[in-house]
Amino acid sequence: MECRWDKVWPHWCPKVLNINKTISEYVNEWSKLRPDSIALSFYGRDITYRQLDSLINKLANAFVYLGTQPGDRIGLFMQNCPQFVIAYCAIQRAGGIAVPLNPMFKSLELEHETNDAGIKILLCLDSLYKEVKKIKSKKSLEAVILTSLQDFLPDEPSLQIPEEAKQEKMQYTETIELLDLINKFSDEPVNRVKDLHSTIALLQYTGGTTGMPKGAMITHYALSYAAIASMYWYRFRENDVFLGVPPFFHIMGEVVVMCCALVSGARNIILSRFSPEVAAEAITKYRCTFLLGPPTMMIALLGIPELREKYDLSSLRIVWTGGAPISTELQAQIKEVLPNVAIGEGYGLTEVTSQGGAITPLYRYKPGFVGIPNIGVEMKIMKDGKEVGINEEGEIVIRSPAMFIGYWNKPQETEEVLKEGWFYTGDIGLMDEEGYLKFLGRRKEVIKCSGYSVFPVEIENMLYMHPAIKEVAVIGVEDPYRGESPKAFIVLKEEYIGKISQEDIINWCKDNMASYKRPRFIEFRKDLPKSAAGKILKRVLVEEEKKKGEHSNGF
């Protein structure tokens, strides 16, 4: 069956994929084909595919020894580091389900996802363990395995390391040391995954109409499909060098950077934290060929003084953005600085494993448009129950081999978005005559901050924990750097009026919310606009903000 995007389809890309391996099995295959090729580099510490495969097997055997049963959930609470990659693949081989957790989480957020997923084992960086200790209810958690960034750092780092990596390693008697655990077990091969199509590999938390995070269940087939499809689309091979700076806990960095590098047999230069100068130095030193990140990261890189004089970025062949819409002006700036690179962007969601949506065909970037449906993906624009015509607006609806199978323990929410094999995204867009998708807007109230989805209801629920707050409503406002930022409209309890400031609220948010999520703007009000039924009218607040124009004061 012909599609309207056939004429712009990359000729090197198949239209059907045969997936028969998990991500960790591809690592094992490369360990046999190119055992001494470098898989991971961490500030100068290199790990070959042979070494990586051995470490994965040792940890997988340790998980089995600790009682991991097929389907058990194991959490990953850490920044980008080799341990994340090792544990991610080891969980697969042991038959478990990986649950990546945002390392910026505070205890309240961590507690919700840990208990909702029923996490039994948590792998955690020592610098983040203080938030784990604050969790009041650990219903299912049986063991915490602790590691440090220092565990895999070389004696003399080749790049500037972040401050947290300079701290003395912390130890806690109630935890298990990761390196000690790995060294106790052999690297005897283990693979407890029997059926790729039905076995869940990943519980990736996202949000939905209720605003609270939900666990998207992603099978091994969907995960491998997304990674292999990316490999073909970008023409990746074993001599490519990825800059591993997008967060691995986030679906975009996890699939397109971490997993895709592994299935391609490529080298991944892992940075635990983004710094424009360190990223530019890494590209220069290691001759990176692929750079992916949200628009905010590109803005920061391009903003380095004397960028072209100080750094050599000529090795890059692909510079891609995702996680948030990018302006045509920013894409033009990228091409001006890097005239020989292929540029593009993608549209995907956690529910379609990031790459199960639309993506720019290499060398066919169309300003203002995301791209065409990826390998095996079907996409249509729906309105009032019918598919609309060319260049007509409607809801983006997707059917993809890389699609999730439902939300964890949430059948009603699953039924609301999965209908007859199609995923109703709630996002608005249109498709032109060549099948290029133009993304027009996110779900009605979701705030997109630096590529992260921020849900007003979740922020409101947390703010209501503050003793001074009587009523609160959160909306997204324009932010020239982040795209959008949360703004909270607050009605104080009478006894707190004049006794608490906007900065007091901001400081409380800093202590209780991840940095990308907390409100950047606070406005105190005597009351909030409401309907006759007593419902807060956020649309009134949104219209008021539009009239005010750009914000000039934030915290």
Side-chain angles (χ1 to χ4, degrees), residues 231-422:
M231 181 191 74
Y232 278 110
W233 196 270
Y234 296 107
R235 303 183 77 181
F236 290 138
R237 50 181 300 169
E238 65 275 10
N239 59 357
D240 272 304
V241 183
F242 290 53
L243 183 64
V245 69
F248 291 169
F249 78 86
H250 187 275
I251 193 69
M252 183 175 74
E254 182 182 333
V255 172
V256 190
V257 178
M258 185 183 76
C259 292
C260 194
L262 293 174
V263 302
S264 303
R267 183 180 186 180
N268 203 333
I269 311 301
I270 298 176
L271 302 181
S272 63
R273 185 179 290 273
F274 173 67
S275 158
E277 291 77 14
V278 175
E281 179 64 28
I283 295 168
T284 301
K285 182 177 182 63
Y286 291 101
R287 312 309 296 146
C288 295
T289 60
F290 179 57
L291 174 63
L292 169 72
T296 50
M297 190 178 89
M298 302 303 171
I299 292 170
L301 276 172
L302 294 176
I304 296 175
E306 301 177 347
L307 174 65
R308 281 180 276 194
E309 290 75 18
K310 291 182 178 178
Y311 303 102
D312 179 7
L313 309 184
S314 62
S315 60
L316 289 169
R317 70 177 182 91
I318 299 174
V319 175
W320 227 252
T321 60
I326 185 171
S327 67
T328 54
E329 291 79 10
L330 181 54
Q331 288 284 33
Q333 290 176 39
I334 295 172
K335 283 297 285 185
E336 181 183 353
V337 175
L338 300 165
N340 297 320
V341 303
I343 62 170
E345 57 184 302
Y347 167 79
L349 305 93
T350 300
E351 290 90 342
V352 292
T353 324
S354 182
Q355 289 297 281
I359 190 168
T360 306
L362 279 188
Y363 314 113
R364 292 182 182 271
Y365 174 65
K366 184 181 289 190
F369 288 82
V370 175
I372 63 175
N374 206 338
I375 300 173
V377 176
E378 300 173 74
M379 185 176 293
K380 56 187 179 181
I381 309 297
M382 300 288 289
K383 189 173 184 179
D384 299 326
K386 296 180 181 179
E387 187 172 0
V388 302
I390 292 172
N391 290 319
E392 292 185 26
E393 296 182 12
E395 182 178 6
I396 302 169
V397 182
I398 299 171
R399 182 160 62 188
S400 167
M403 201 157 67
F404 79 135
I405 59 173
Y407 295 119
W408 178 257
N409 289 335
K410 288 183 169 53
Q412 182 177 341
E413 288 87 341
T414 299
E415 289 178 9
E416 290 172 358
V417 298
L418 281 181
K419 302 172 184 178
E420 297 180 349
W422 290 87

Side-chain angles (χ1 to χ4, degrees), residues 4 7 31 45 49 76 107 141 143 145 194 218 256 274 276 282 309 348 432 436 446 493 514 519 523:
R4 56 177 131 153
K7 59 183 176 182
S31 75
R45 164 80 182 272
Y49 272 95
L76 299 170
S107 58
L141 196 58
I145 300 173
K194 304 301 180 184
I218 297 170
V256 190
F274 173 67
E309 290 75 18
D432 73 1
Y436 275 77
V446 174
K493 294 176 182 176
E523 182 175 329

Side-chain angles (χ1 to χ4, degrees), residues 464-523:
Y464 273 121
M465 295 180 185
H466 192 291
I469 293 175
K470 178 182 177 182
E471 288 184 330
V472 61
V474 173
I475 65 169
V477 295
E478 288 187 11
D479 184 317
Y481 180 70
R482 299 179 184 85
E484 284 186 298
S485 283
K487 177 174 181 177
F489 297 84
I490 292 173
V491 178
L492 293 173
K493 294 176 182 176
E494 189 173 347
E495 63 268 29
Y496 284 92
I497 295 174
K499 298 179 181 178
I500 192 165
S501 68
Q502 296 171 337
E503 190 169 2
D504 290 332
I505 300 294
I506 288 289
N507 288 334
W508 185 89
C509 292
K510 288 180 179 179
D511 291 335
N512 290 280
M513 298 183 199
S515 59
Y516 72 90
K517 190 183 299 182
R518 65 175 182 256
R520 290 304 198 271
F521 310 99
I522 301 290
E523 182 175 329

Side-chain angles (χ1 to χ4, degrees), residues 49-73:
Y49 272 95
R50 189 204 323 259
Q51 293 169 332
L52 178 59
D53 187 64
S54 176
L55 287 166
I56 292 169
N57 276 330
K58 287 181 178 182
L59 186 54
N61 281 304
F63 284 143
V64 174
Y65 174 81
L66 290 172
T68 297
Q69 298 297 317
D72 282 353
R73 279 75 64 204

